[in-house]
C-alpha cells in the first residue's frame, strides 16, 4: 500500500494458504526491480518470497513438523554480496536460505524457536555476521556456514525460557554487538 495525503492505495495483493503469525520481511533480495516480501505461511509450513507486484518468486519448504510461527531475518554480509535468510521453527530446526533463490544453504537443530526469530549479527567485531537463535531453553550462536560457535542456557539456573524475538546492538560504540 502506498501512503499519501490522499490516503493509501492498493498496489498488489497476495493470498497465502494459511495464517500469517510472523511479521513479513520486506527488502530488496532478488535481482528483479523493487522490494520483495518474505512471508511465513504458518499452517502449511512454507516460507514464500513475493515480488513487488504480488507474484510469488520462490517458496521454501523446510522439513518442519510444526507450523511456521517465526519470521525470517536477512543478512547481506553473512555471504559477501548475497542475501541470506534465517528462519527457525518450534520443532527445533533453524534453516539458512539464499534470499534470491530460496535454496537451502544449511539446516541445524538448535532447539525450539517459538514466536521469536533468529538474527544475524557480528558478535566479535571481525566484520563477519554470525547466526544467533533464541530457543526455548538456550541462546545459540553459529557461523554463517552453520558451524557451532557457542551456546548459553541449558546449564544456567534459573533456566532460560526465550519465547520472544531477540535483538543485538552495539550499545557502547566499540564496534561489537
Amino acid at each position: 500500500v502506498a501512503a499519501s495525503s490522499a490516503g493509501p492505495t492498493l498496489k498488489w495483493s497476495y493470498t497465502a494458504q494459511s495464517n500469517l503469525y510472523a511479521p513479513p520481511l520486506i527488502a530488496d533480495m532478488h535481482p528483479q526491480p523493487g522490494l520483495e516480501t518474505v512471508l511465513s505461511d504458518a499452517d502449511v509450513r512454507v516460507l514464500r518470497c513475493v515480488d513487488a507486484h504480488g507474484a510469488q518468486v520462490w517458496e521454501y519448504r523446510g522439513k518442519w513438523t510444526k507450523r511456521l510461527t517465526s519470521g525470517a531475518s536477512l543478512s547481506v554480509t553473512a555471504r559477501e554480496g548475497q542475501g541470506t535468510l534465517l528462519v527457525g521453527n518450534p520443532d527445533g530446526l533453524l534453516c539458512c536460505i539464499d534470499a534470491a533463490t530460496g535454496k537451502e544453504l544449511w539446516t541445524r537443530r538448535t532447539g525450539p524457536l517459538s514466536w521469536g526469530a533468529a538474527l544475524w549479527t557480528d558478535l566479535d567485531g571481525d566484520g563477519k555476521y554470525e547466526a544467533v537463535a533464541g530457543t526455548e531453553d538456550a541462546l545459540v550462536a553459529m557461523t554463517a556456514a552453520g558451524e557451532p560457535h557457542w551456546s548459553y542456557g541449558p546449564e544456567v539456573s534459573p533456566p532460560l525460557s526465550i519465547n520472544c524475538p531477540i535483538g543485538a546492538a552495539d550499545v557502547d560504540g566499540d564496534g561489537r554487538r
Side-chain angles (χ1 to χ4, degrees):
V1 175
S4 70
S5 60
T9 58
L10 182 65
K11 296 289 185 180
W12 59 268
S13 67
Y14 180 83
T15 303
Q17 292 181 9
S18 67
N19 293 316
L20 304 177
Y21 296 108
L25 170 66
I26 301 169
D28 189 5
M29 295 173 267
H30 195 271
Q32 61 192 12
L35 300 176
E36 288 76 41
T37 302
V38 174
L39 306 169
S40 295
D41 206 341
D43 299 315
V44 295
R45 301 181 302 269
V46 175
L47 193 69
R48 301 181 189 283
C49 181
V50 178
D51 71 13
H53 304 287
Q56 183 170 297
V57 177
W58 55 255
E59 69 180 29
Y60 172 75
R61 294 179 177 272
K63 296 173 182 72
W64 301 305
T65 59
K66 295 188 176 181
R67 68 182 174 187
L68 188 57
T69 57
S70 294
S73 298
L74 173 68
S75 172
V76 294
T77 58
R79 296 180 306 140
E80 192 172 324
Q82 300 176 31
T84 309
L85 298 171
L86 282 176
V87 65
N89 190 273
D91 67 6
L93 294 180
L94 179 66
C95 301
C96 183
I97 304 155
D98 180 88
T101 65
K103 301 284 188 224
E104 181 179 298
L105 300 171
W106 52 261
T107 294
R108 301 289 183 266
R109 186 160 299 282
T110 60
L113 281 94
S114 298
W115 306 109
L119 58 82
W120 292 103
T121 191
D122 182 2
L123 292 170
D124 51 15
D126 66 357
K128 297 177 184 173
Y129 275 53
E130 288 83 24
V132 180
T135 73
E136 288 183 2
D137 60 359
L139 197 58
V140 178
M142 289 166 279
T143 67
E147 300 305 318
H149 195 49
W150 52 256
S151 178
Y152 175 82
E155 69 285 347
V156 299
S157 182
L160 290 180
S161 179
I162 304 171
N163 290 303
C164 61
I166 59 173
D170 180 5
V171 295
D172 63 1
D174 68 354
R176 298 178 72 181
R177 294 175 187 169

